[in-house]
Amino acid sequence: MSILMEPQKANAVSSVDKTLPLALTCGDPAGVGPEIIAAWLKANPAEAAHVVPIGPKKWIESLGIAGENVGPENFVATPGQPSVDGAKVALAALEAAAAGCKAGKYLAAVTGPVSKSWMQKAGFTFPGQTEFFAARWGGEPTMAFAGGKLRVVLATWHIPLMEVAKALNEKTLGRAVRQANRLARALGAKEPRIGVCGLNPHAGEEGILGTDERDRLNPWLDLLRKDFPGLSRCEPGDTVFWRQLRGEFDVAIALYHDQGLAPLKTVDFDESVNITLGLPWIRTSPDHGTAFSIAGQGKASWKSFANAVALARNLSEK
């Protein structure tokens, strides 16, 4: 059972066999997911005994290891050419991974990248995989990233920028702080130092450039600091990540998607991992997309995927 669940969800799973394999979903079969899994397995053959790939039958057969087949038996994707049929296979792989964790077959899920637009055409009704697993497993998800130089937790993620300020309520901010603290501790910080980005330029400049920090966010953070003494007030978002790189913070909280993902992908594009926290099981994913433009060309790096596997196992075993 992961220590990264919300306190009220802690009894959702009574025990987990740490020897269970990880579920590896193929992602969109026309993207780079299938080839990075294949390349990672080729470079790490000993891992084959500890994972179960989920995807089209012919792709699994090409890997040379046992897996869970989904989709039409004769389905074969053309790299770089997404389709509704391929998106349906990606969705079926997600469903199998989610159900397998609940059934006690898998320790956690590591998911290949999918195309949200193609998934929507295939009947996928969620903004992303984070929300999908929350619906299948229960719990309140938090999107986080680690595996490279930066560790980032998002307070909000798949919502329009115009809605961010309204979504930043006391509950949302508190959940992000709790999960940031747990992630930092799980990754070795004994007394986590958490840097929080402001919403406005210069964190509002004491109300001159916006009042959100002064009137709402900082008072909430001041209350939370009683339980999390290493928690900052809102700091200028343009320097928080630089300060983290210099060792001042163990983890940073970004208040909206691009505030955290822009610096993360600039610094850690090939290494960082998307982590879904707050659910009964851990789900991780490489922090990159389907990359249809280079699919099938052997150019995609499997470093992020390797880190996703390692973090899924390590965080689950915590």
Side-chain angles (χ1 to χ4, degrees):
M1 181 176 65
S2 168
I3 66 169
L4 299 174
M5 295 183 294
E6 293 284 357
Q8 63 269 29
K9 306 297 180 182
N11 294 321
V13 183
S14 59
S15 64
V16 170
D17 181 354
K18 295 178 182 178
T19 66
L20 289 174
L22 299 174
L24 310 181
T25 69
C26 59
D28 192 299
V32 297
E35 68 184 85
I36 62 176
I37 294 174
W40 172 77
L41 281 169
K42 183 177 180 180
N44 300 274
E47 291 280 3
H50 308 293
V51 299
V52 176
I54 303 175
K57 180 180 179 181
K58 291 187 177 296
W59 170 66
I60 291 176
E61 289 176 345
S62 73
L63 298 177
I65 67 173
E68 183 172 346
N69 302 332
V70 296
E73 187 168 314
N74 295 320
F75 176 84
V76 177
T78 301
Q81 297 183 24
S83 65
V84 173
D85 287 342
K88 289 180 178 179
V89 169
L91 177 54
L94 291 178
E95 295 283 11
C101 286
K102 292 183 70 173
K105 292 168 56 178
Y106 305 128
L107 178 65
V110 181
T111 62
V114 299
S115 165
K116 294 181 180 66
S117 61
W118 281 100
M119 291 284 280
Q120 294 288 327
K121 296 175 184 178
F124 190 72
T125 59
F126 304 96
Q129 297 186 83
T130 299
E131 294 81 4
F132 167 85
F133 281 100
R136 294 297 181 265
W137 290 342
E140 293 184 290
T142 295
M143 186 179 288
F145 299 84
K149 299 180 182 68
L150 293 174
R151 298 170 179 179
V152 180
V153 169
L154 302 185
T156 69
W157 46 95
H158 293 148
I159 61 174
L161 187 58
M162 289 287 288
E163 298 177 12
V164 169
K166 183 178 179 180
L168 286 170
N169 54 44
E170 191 170 4
K171 179 181 177 181
T172 299
L173 190 61
R175 182 169 63 239
V177 170
R178 289 193 300 274
Q179 296 296 1
N181 179 72
R182 289 173 179 164
L183 178 62
R185 287 186 179 278
L187 296 177
K190 294 182 179 179
E191 298 179 353
R193 299 161 301 162
I194 304 169
V196 182
C197 293
L199 178 64
N200 296 297
H202 299 239
E205 199 74 74
E206 298 297 328
I208 298 173
L209 301 178
T211 61
D212 302 88
E213 293 82 0
R214 183 193 67 191
D215 296 347
R216 300 188 304 132
L217 300 176
N218 281 333
W220 294 336
L221 291 171
D222 291 342
L223 291 174
L224 286 163
R225 197 171 300 107
K226 297 175 183 178
D227 294 321
F228 307 100
L231 179 65
S232 79
R233 303 191 91 198
C234 285
E235 301 288 339
D238 56 1
T239 59
V240 166
F241 302 100
W242 175 77
R243 292 165 66 183
Q244 185 184 172
L245 286 173
R246 289 171 61 86
E248 188 172 343
F249 301 123
D250 297 301
V251 61
I253 294 177
L255 300 187
Y256 54 94
H257 186 277
D258 285 13
Q259 184 182 53
L261 271 292
L264 182 92
K265 290 191 175 184
T266 299
V267 174
D268 289 331
F269 189 84
D270 285 336
E271 297 182 1
S272 193
V273 175
N274 183 342
I275 309 166
T276 302
L277 306 176
L279 307 184
W281 291 270
I282 291 291
R283 170 256 170 178
T284 65
S285 179
D287 183 31
H288 58 70
T290 53
F292 292 127
S293 63
I294 62 169
Q297 301 176 33
K299 296 179 179 180
S301 170
W302 49 261
K303 290 181 181 179
S304 180
F305 182 81
N307 289 343
V309 170
L311 276 171
R313 184 173 293 123
N314 291 344
L315 294 176
S316 296
E317 291 178 351
K318 294 288 187 182

